[in-house]
Amino acid sequence: AALGVAIARAALTALGRAPHREQVSSAAAAWEGVYHGNPSGIDAAAAAHDGCLWFQKGAALEPLALSRDLVLAIGIAGPPASTKLMVDGVARLRERRPAIVDKALEGVHALVKNARLCLESGDLPGLGSLMNYNQMLLSGLFVSTEGIERCCALAREAGALGAKLTGAGGGGAVLALCDGDSEPILGAWRAAGIDCFSSTVRASRVTR
């Protein structure tokens, strides 16, 4: 998605056209569809915009104002899996067990709505708990792995407020919310041979 956004911006600029966000997002979504089959669109939208966003497929993006910085640790829990295969796997599970999958997805939706409140109010412990619950639901959809679960557990043991997989699952990265300092989590991951880094999303007012 990030590569699609970069190429869309470059192509529009080369054509002498201003790379407006809507055009860039649309082009990147089409690019992502080739590789991922039926992407949510959130990755392309996040890559094309700044800060935190409220995203619903088919609806307009809504910027969110953070009242506190988000200090994040990102650990590479394993080789990335094909997003298309992971999405197709959840779709097949839904065909076999629709009630279970629908209930899990309803739970994720409820967690996301509450996470928005935590982001806007600065309730980082609450946000971390919601991340942990989200990871449990994703595990139930069989998109987690042993490496992801280990990475999450190490982060929590080292003081992370919450940890969950990011992306489609099946491998890839884990996102851990830190209580101000990412070094304890990064140190625990490095000791376990896990590649990692940190990032901070700064609190700021919404700019529309």
Side-chain angles (χ1 to χ4, degrees), residues 51-75:
C52 283
L53 305 171
W54 179 255
F55 175 89
Q56 289 181 293
K57 195 170 184 177
L61 291 172
E62 185 179 348
L64 296 183
L66 299 181
S67 57
R68 293 180 64 182
D69 290 351
L70 299 180
V71 180
L72 305 171
I74 299 92

Side-chain angles (χ1 to χ4, degrees), residues 154-155 157-160 178 180-190:
L154 286 170
E157 290 168 4
C178 309
D181 183 9
S182 63
E183 280 307 313
I185 293 91
L186 297 178
W189 280 343
R190 292 188 188 112

Side-chain angles (χ1 to χ4, degrees), residues 17-121:
R17 297 160 58 185
H20 295 297
R21 284 180 176 176
E22 292 73 16
Q23 290 177 307
V24 170
S25 296
S26 177
W31 161 286
E32 197 180 13
V34 173
Y35 294 95
H36 295 166
N38 185 30
S40 68
I42 190 170
D43 290 337
H49 291 70
D50 298 325
C52 283
L53 305 171
W54 179 255
F55 175 89
Q56 289 181 293
K57 195 170 184 177
L61 291 172
E62 185 179 348
L64 296 183
L66 299 181
S67 57
R68 293 180 64 182
D69 290 351
L70 299 180
V71 180
L72 305 171
I74 299 92
I76 309 304
S82 165
T83 299
K84 186 177 187 302
L85 290 178
M86 298 307 297
V87 171
D88 289 347
V90 174
R92 288 194 298 271
L93 179 62
R94 193 175 191 178
E95 290 175 358
R96 297 195 306 270
R97 301 180 178 180
I100 292 176
V101 173
D102 288 346
K103 186 174 181 179
L105 294 178
E106 288 174 7
V108 169
H109 184 64
L111 291 175
V112 170
K113 289 195 294 185
N114 282 287
R116 174 177 183 165
L117 299 176
C118 290
L119 286 167
E120 293 177 330
S121 67

Side-chain angles (χ1 to χ4, degrees), residues 155-178:
R156 294 177 191 129
E157 290 168 4
L161 298 173
K164 65 179 291 295
L165 66 84
T166 180
V174 160
L175 191 69
L177 179 62
C178 309

Side-chain angles (χ1 to χ4, degrees), residues 77 145-155 157 174 188-189 191-194:
T145 65
E146 183 178 345
I148 288 172
E149 295 297 330
R150 174 171 174 262
C151 201
C152 288
L154 286 170
E157 290 168 4
V174 160
W189 280 343
I194 296 170

